[in-house]
Amino acid sequence: MAAASSRADETDLIVIGGGPAGCAAARMAASVGMRSVLIEPDALCRNLHRIPALNNVLGGFTNGPELADSITADLKSTDLCRIALGRRATEIRAFDDHVAITLDTGSRLTAPYTVLATGVGPLQPRDVSWITAPDLTLPPLWEAEPDLVEGRTLLVLGGDRPLGTFLRAHPQTGTRLLVPYPPGDDYKVEEIRDDPRVVLLPVDHLTLRSSDGPSAMAETVGRDGGRSSWTADAVFLSIGSAPTAPPGDLARDAAGYCPPSRQHPRVIVAGDLRSARFQRIMTAMGSGSEGALRAYYALRDLPAGNATVPY
């Protein structure tokens, strides 16, 4: 694609998304002298505030809010990153010598490279084929208030990893979880399989009959074809997430993820947007940092394997 406009000389890198991956990219860029703009529609690391217990990060952090505060303070300590909160990227265009990012304000930013780290958002029953339910929006499990669900039975649709987070965060809770999950979640439930508070229900299909009032009711078809009915006090979701990349010059797979190897050379994908299999805080931060270094090497025509980075 031919160049459409000249870039603003004051920006080396545009980072789209202010989660762990985007923040790590901006911080790494600053550490090697690159000037960046970070675009985030909400607050920095907003999703970390929803994680009450951590077990897969270094540095002694045991909860998401603590880690989010540390990342935010570290990023704001550099003058080389301009943070644009309350702004959303609505289009990405990649050219031979730059990228152009259109914001929801209508303004346009340009730079030699962009790190795209918009992450994922929660799926709803309407988004998956193994659930039949009324057209409604259900709360994810992380929104369950521990005091309000204490001693109650919850129907949790799907076996995604927030289940383990909830149980680790509330080790003494008397809440009981009924967890119907599809074959694709088999590997995800291993960490909670032996928890006595969990009843795992491997299913081929679930029909949600009711989700309001004093109880939630569902019918399941098991892997062996057997049918069962279940009643709980409330229903929550743990069925996974969907990519939230903006429109534009991006290559996407069938599920909407953006494989890094298929992108334009000036578009670097980082964090959860890369694949459903690598949605971890540690891998997100690592990929964001690596993405910034990739842009750093490319700007200087240095081969990544032989370049020396200033520390």
Side-chain angles (χ1 to χ4, degrees):
M1 187 178 293
S5 62
S6 61
R7 71 176 182 86
D9 290 337
E10 66 272 12
T11 303
D12 299 308
L13 181 69
I14 298 172
V15 180
I16 307 175
C23 288
R27 190 64 186 88
M28 177 60 76
S31 75
V32 293
M34 296 176 68
R35 298 154 296 184
S36 67
V37 176
L38 187 151
I39 302 164
E40 167 55 48
D42 202 322
L44 295 180
C45 294
R46 67 190 186 280
N47 286 335
L48 284 182
H49 287 277
R50 302 167 178 172
I51 303 177
L54 296 174
N55 72 339
N56 63 350
V57 297
L58 297 174
F61 296 102
T62 59
N63 63 77
E66 183 182 61
L67 178 58
D69 290 343
S70 177
I71 292 174
T72 299
D74 194 33
L75 184 58
K76 289 183 176 179
S77 69
T78 176
D79 294 331
L80 291 177
C81 177
R82 177 164 64 89
I83 302 173
L85 298 182
R87 295 290 178 263
R88 184 182 304 275
T90 58
E91 186 180 56
I92 297 176
R93 292 300 175 197
F95 302 94
D96 290 341
D97 61 350
H98 73 283
V99 292
I101 310 300
T102 302
L103 303 183
D104 51 2
T105 60
S107 61
R108 201 182 198 207
L109 303 177
T110 61
Y113 290 90
T114 185
V115 170
L116 179 62
T118 51
V120 295
L123 291 168
Q124 289 291 326
R126 69 182 74 92
D127 300 318
V128 296
S129 60
W130 66 275
I131 298 176
T132 298
D135 189 12
L136 43 74
T137 299
L138 295 173
L141 182 60
W142 55 260
E143 288 187 358
E145 293 289 344
D147 293 342
L148 297 180
V149 300
E150 176 62 35
R152 306 178 75 196
T153 297
L154 307 183
L155 179 67
V156 183
L157 307 184
D160 207 32
R161 292 186 180 87
L163 283 162
T165 300
F166 178 85
L167 294 167
R168 287 191 300 272
H170 312 293
Q172 304 304 319
T173 185
T175 305
R176 180 170 177 254
L177 306 181
L178 302 178
V179 183
Y181 63 97
D185 286 356
D186 283 348
Y187 73 99
K188 298 179 182 180
V189 300
E190 290 302 320
E191 64 174 316
I192 61 170
R193 187 171 298 280
D194 297 327
D195 195 303
R197 297 167 292 178
V198 177
V199 178
L200 292 175
L201 308 172
V203 302
D204 276 335
H205 194 80
L206 175 142
T207 301
L208 188 64
R209 296 300 184 190
S210 174
S211 62
D212 54 10
S215 64
M217 293 178 287
E219 296 177 359
T220 59
V221 179
R223 309 277 177 86
D224 60 358
R227 295 178 178 271
S228 301
S229 296
W230 306 91
T231 301
D233 297 303
V235 58
F236 290 88
L237 293 177
S238 189
I239 59 177
S241 303
T244 58
D249 295 331
L250 296 171
R252 307 168 195 259
D253 64 17
Y257 287 92
C258 300
S261 62
R262 292 173 52 190
Q263 306 309 315
H264 188 282
R266 294 188 178 273
V267 177
I268 303 168
V269 178
D272 292 358
L273 192 60
R274 298 172 300 160
S275 166
R277 293 295 181 94
F278 295 97
Q279 293 180 5
R280 298 287 196 281
I281 295 169
M282 287 279 280
T283 58
M285 295 177 71
S287 70
S289 300
E290 184 178 344
L293 286 179
R294 177 178 160 189
Y296 169 83
Y297 297 141
L299 279 171
R300 288 153 181 79
D301 293 323
L302 297 173
N306 299 319
T308 299
V309 182
Y311 287 94

